[in-house]
Amino acid sequence: MRRKMVLIITVFIIGITALRLSVVSLQQPVIHPKVERGVLDLRGWTLPKDRTIVLDGEWEFYPNRIVSSVEEASREQVHQGNNSYIAVPGAWDAYFDKARSEITSFRYGTYRLRILLDEHEENSYSIRTNGIKNASAVYVNGKLAGGTGLPAEAPDSYEARRIPYTVTLPRDSSSLDIWIPVSNHAGEGGIVKSIRFGTQEAVEHRTLLSVTLQLLLSVVLFVHASYALMLYFLGAGNRGLNYFALTIFCALISVIAADDRLLFLWFPQSFEVTVKITLLSYIGVMAFLPPLFKNMFPEHGNIPAVRWFSIFCAAYAGFVALFPSKLTLPTMSSLLVAVLVLSVVVSSSILRAAVRKQEDVIYLLICCTSLGMNIFWTLFSPRIFSYELMHYPFDLIFTVLAFAAFWFKRFFRSVARTKELAEELKQANEVKDEFLANTSHELRNPLHGIINIAQNLLDDPNHPVHEAQKTRLELQVSVARRMSLMVDDLLDIVRLKDRALQLRLGNVRVQSVVSGTVEMIRFLLEGKPITLIVDIPDRFPSVKADEHRLTQIMFNLLHNAVKFTDEGRITIRADLVNGMARIQISDTGIGMDEDTQQRVFLPYEQGNTNTSSYGGFGLGLSICKQLVELQSGELHVTSILGEGSTFMFTIPLSGEDEQTNRLEYIPQFLMDESAAAAEASPEHGGMTETLIRNWPKIMVIDDDPVNLQIMSDMLGGQHYEVSTALSGAEALANLEQADFDLLIMDAMMPHMSGYELARIIRERYSASELPILLLTARSRPEDIQAGFQSGANDYVTKPVSSLELKSRVRAWTELKISIEERLRIEAAWLQAQIQPHFLYNTINTISALGTIDISRMQALLEHFSNYLRTSFDFHNTDSVVSVKRELELVQSYLYIEKERFGERLEVQWMLEDELYFQVPPLSIQTLVENAVRHGLLTRSSGGIVSIQIARHDNDINISVRDNGVGMDTDQMRKALDSPTSDQGGIGLRNTNRRLKQLYGRGLEIESKLNQGTTVTFRIPK
């Protein structure tokens, strides 16, 4: 194998050497007269029309003088005795005063050449300059014929510019007197390369050929740099491609910035800029080679050496970029050679270690051989050949092609290996999916046991756990439930991959899903300063989706937003785009970079490592994306790191009649049962209004009219009085107008979800005063937890059987009615428990009046009899009684107390005429008795009690006011919380609860210490 490689390299070296020599032979100069002592005598010699000659030899030279003709030289007295002869091309340093050179680097002088031609010569001639530094002009027979820059005797007038140019020589005489003034401020100066002379056609042909060869190499370099960048940005991700592209790009700049300097002909620049660009391109070519090889062969790269070399190159590049050319040009040769040597040494050390084990090493060897040959001929061709060679591009073309061949061969091997690995990964992935599915199923049982055992320990009333242990057990339950959610995600991802997930598509109201999901997510917002905003139009159309899966999508996206947002706001919006519904969830959280946005929807991806502390498998967003796509939508994300993210997904609109399509959601057995119940029930019209009024009253709240109709049919025939409401606001309005024994509400409703409605109701009614039964399609633990936290008594998952629903409704209504009866009986019982002290004092008062005033005794006895009769009346267990009956009891009680206490008690009545309404029994009596006993009679001076009944637009206000001892805030709170008063009266708590049950509003207390108390309640008209 090694012999074969040696043979191939040998043949390659012979081939490219033969090609170079063939090209060189075509450039072999014609034998022609030489320039001697400033004169080129071409008389009697015929110049070939297709070849040029070089004007090498001894030129006249006038140092420190800028002259353009013999006349000017004569005027300045430099023509005689001040001229010398200089070799062209060659250095001019020796012709200047050393003392002056130490003071300034600026130098100038004038070259002169006389060309003698035959008198009858008719050809047009041109000269081509390619190496005059750094400003020059060409005068022919005293006239300016061309130039570049502005040569001058003073730096202020001097303008450097070094661009090759062609000068056409006039034929107005048989001799050409050529004067070339040159100025230079830094580095090597003068005419440093041969000047070509020939016919105009020959000069143009040679120039065009040189430019064409440079463009050919430039095109090859540009193509390879372009495909390297394309491969990198298209996803190859190999940094070696970047270094390869940079190396080729710098080589391209160096090619078009050297020789004919095409770059600066196309894009003219100042001399300083051209120097910087040229030097930086040379540095770049050599600086990027070692990192290129290090990234190609990372296991063999000498990292410290590459790093120090890169530092050196960066320092040199900085020196070139920051400092002027008068400092960089003098050190150019030595520093560039140093960079070249170091680049070759470092690159060779990497390649030497890599080629021993690398496949397809022959391509690298050809690449290095071709590059080495180019460097060899560049350094030694001036010594081998006595004439200047044209630009030769083929060595570098072979170098680039060989390198590209190695890279493509390596790429093809990687593709083949990738196919093999992909097949292996596919098999491993199938095994992994099976393992995940089996593991997820097996984890359910132990997780269920862990949660239940820990929860039983927490709820055990006989053996309560220690507070510290309770915290640990609660943490254990929380962790176990979180693991349960992860198991569900694993099962979902496996089902999605196996296409085993079934969807139940139908019309779904986005408002309902969003509202319910927001309520489920609120418990995550505890302790976080986050504002949740829902911006969805009321008339937003329904979508065609699976309600359960759409809720899962919303929950996962909102959960993700809350998890990665510490403060700010989360906004949910919906609009229509291209006939689709688009839902957006925006947050002001930590955001994501571009890389994370590309990976965030992949399974098991969690973004960057900075967010890994948030936990989870990284499956939620992947599941969301697949569920959205299964429902013919798309899920996207836009994000700015540190500012927040916006997830948006589309769902098709339903496009069908909403009422018809909603029937698909109702299980057939539920429709059958409800229909059968409706048929079996008697018509309401055949019953008396009194009988219907005594039935338990149920209100069903759902945004779907079809569901309301089915629930009404199902329960209406079961001796229930059913009312319906399409929204939470309508339900609250109904509660203001009537009292109910049970509320059945859907958790997912627009504007106000069932969770939010339950929380509002719980502010007015306790769980026993008004039971709430939630119906929803969601059954995950967090849904149930959100339902109970909002105040629901029970939670039923759709679809629910008719028998189960009726059983739960019957249990809750019977419990509610029994509680109401208990409260009424409690009030009656408490009133019946007349204090012995009150009876004893009243009887004593009656006895005393019997000896003093018989008429007063008889009046007192009549009121006392009325008081006792009313206190033991069975009507006290009714929900309401007439206000007239209630006021009679109050009047009897106050008459007794006034007879007992005399002037210490003053009563004021402020009543309107014709009072015909009903109040809860013993309600006004409770307030009056508490005002008298606890507000007035605790003071020796007594006081005034006022009873006022006033009509308003919507209600009737009943107030009891006293000017007694008053109460502070804590006493007012305890007055409604304590079961009974200190003196054994019926207490305010019972009255407050009964009022809230009947009217949704309880007692209102206003009081100030030592100023009195006012207790008010309102009765709707």
Side-chain angles (χ1 to χ4, degrees), residues 177-223:
D177 191 8
I178 302 174
W179 296 74
I180 304 179
V182 180
S183 297
N184 180 52
H185 69 289
E188 186 181 23
I191 302 177
V192 297
K193 289 187 178 181
S194 299
I195 297 178
R196 289 276 172 175
F197 173 78
T199 63
Q200 188 173 350
E201 293 80 4
V203 171
E204 290 177 353
H205 177 266
R206 180 182 173 86
T207 302
L208 179 61
L209 180 60
S210 176
V211 170
T212 302
L213 292 175
Q214 292 174 63
L215 291 177
L216 172 64
L217 178 57
S218 300
V219 169
V220 172
L221 295 174
F222 177 77
V223 168

Side-chain angles (χ1 to χ4, degrees), residues 20 286 289 340 344 368-382 395-396 399:
R20 177 179 283 272
M286 295 175 284
L289 278 176
L340 174 62
V344 170
C368 295
T369 301
S370 180
L371 181 61
M373 292 293 290
N374 179 266
I375 295 174
F376 170 81
W377 285 109
T378 301
L379 294 177
F380 296 103
S381 59
D395 288 345
L396 291 178
T399 299

Side-chain angles (χ1 to χ4, degrees), residues 270-391:
S270 66
F271 179 78
E272 291 293 331
V273 174
T274 61
V275 170
K276 295 180 188 300
I277 292 176
T278 305
L279 288 180
L280 289 175
S281 64
Y282 290 150
I283 297 170
V285 172
M286 295 175 284
F288 290 127
L289 278 176
L292 167 62
F293 291 129
K294 181 181 78 69
N295 280 275
M296 287 180 61
F297 313 107
E299 64 276 13
H300 305 294
N302 189 340
I303 297 177
V306 174
R307 183 183 297 114
W308 284 110
F309 173 72
S310 300
I311 293 173
F312 173 70
C313 291
Y316 183 27
F319 171 68
V320 171
L322 297 176
F323 289 91
S325 58
K326 65 180 181 180
L327 297 178
T328 58
L329 286 177
T331 60
M332 178 183 69
S333 299
S334 58
L335 289 177
L336 281 179
V337 170
V339 173
L340 174 62
V341 171
L342 289 174
S343 178
V344 170
V345 170
V346 176
S347 301
S348 300
S349 65
I350 298 174
L351 288 175
R352 184 174 56 187
V355 296
R356 296 173 183 173
K357 300 180 181 180
Q358 187 69 38
E359 297 175 336
D360 306 317
V361 70
I362 186 64
Y363 297 105
L364 283 179
L365 294 177
I366 291 175
C367 173
C368 295
T369 301
S370 180
L371 181 61
M373 292 293 290
N374 179 266
I375 295 174
F376 170 81
W377 285 109
T378 301
L379 294 177
F380 296 103
S381 59
R383 301 181 183 181
I384 298 175
F385 304 103
S386 58
Y387 53 89
E388 183 183 354
L389 297 177
M390 193 183 302
H391 179 80

Side-chain angles (χ1 to χ4, degrees), residues 492-532:
D492 278 344
I493 204 72
V494 172
R495 291 192 194 104
L496 287 167
K497 191 164 188 178
D498 294 340
R499 301 183 182 276
L501 195 67
Q502 298 296 324
L503 296 178
R504 298 177 59 202
L505 297 178
N507 276 358
V508 180
R509 287 178 60 81
V510 175
Q511 300 95 320
S512 304
V513 173
V514 170
S515 180
T517 309
V518 165
E519 294 304 319
M520 289 188 295
I521 214 73
R522 284 193 186 276
F523 74 97
L524 295 175
L525 298 176
E526 295 180 2
K528 283 190 171 186
I530 298 176
T531 302
L532 206 55

Side-chain angles (χ1 to χ4, degrees), residues 385-451:
F385 304 103
S386 58
Y387 53 89
E388 183 183 354
L389 297 177
M390 193 183 302
H391 179 80
Y392 183 79
F394 300 107
D395 288 345
L396 291 178
I397 292 176
F398 291 143
T399 299
V400 174
L401 292 177
F403 197 90
F406 170 78
W407 207 302
F408 280 117
K409 191 70 175 177
R410 192 179 190 184
F411 173 75
F412 293 143
R413 288 185 182 276
S414 298
V415 170
R417 179 58 180 160
T418 300
K419 290 181 179 179
E420 296 175 3
L421 292 175
E423 188 62 30
E424 295 176 6
L425 287 173
K426 184 178 179 181
Q427 297 175 2
N429 193 43
E430 292 175 356
V431 175
K432 180 260 296 179
D433 289 341
E434 183 178 354
F435 170 77
L436 285 177
N438 294 335
T439 303
S440 300
H441 283 293
E442 293 299 327
L443 284 175
R444 281 182 172 271
N445 288 333
L447 280 174
H448 180 74
I450 291 171
I451 294 173

